[in-house]
Amino acid sequence: ASPTTIGRFAQTSKKCYELTHDDLLWKQRVLNEFTLFPRLKIGETYKQYYKKIYTCHSYRSYLQKKSFKFSELSLLNDFLNS
């Protein structure tokens, strides 16, 4: 399910909201979609990590489609690895 679908599901009831805010859900999504070895910052939740990585990957795809300079992609990679 897409992040948008999960957000809509969260709005249907209090129980659904609680389910979509469970860190185990977001941990599974991170492990399945991005990496088996996530590098979370101290105090960062898997939901926050997923949002950061999802946003960066979407932006990276946009940059690649628009043929932006290598330096801009390099800066994005540096951000992802920090």
Side-chain angles (χ1 to χ4, degrees):
S2 73
T4 304
T5 304
I6 293 172
R8 289 180 182 151
F9 178 72
Q11 295 175 354
T12 59
S13 72
K14 188 173 181 177
K15 182 65 176 172
C16 292
Y17 177 85
E18 291 170 1
L19 288 172
T20 60
H21 284 76
D22 183 4
D23 214 34
L24 290 176
L25 167 75
W26 296 103
K27 181 178 181 179
Q28 265 319 113
R29 292 193 62 97
V30 166
L31 297 176
N32 289 336
E33 294 179 33
F34 298 116
T35 181
L36 293 177
F37 305 104
R39 294 185 289 184
L40 280 72
K41 295 179 180 176
I42 295 173
E44 185 175 33
T45 66
Y46 277 97
K47 183 177 180 181
Q48 293 165 334
Y49 184 81
Y50 181 90
K51 183 177 179 180
K52 176 177 74 173
I53 297 300
Y54 182 85
T55 303
C56 289
H57 277 275
S58 297
Y59 186 61
R60 182 189 308 184
S61 296
Y62 169 79
L63 290 178
Q64 288 172 339
K65 287 178 187 174
K66 296 293 182 180
S67 300
F68 277 78
K69 297 179 212 166
F70 175 76
S71 61
E72 292 180 47
L73 289 173
S74 175
L75 288 173
L76 183 58
N77 285 331
D78 291 345
F79 173 75
L80 286 172
N81 293 325
S82 64

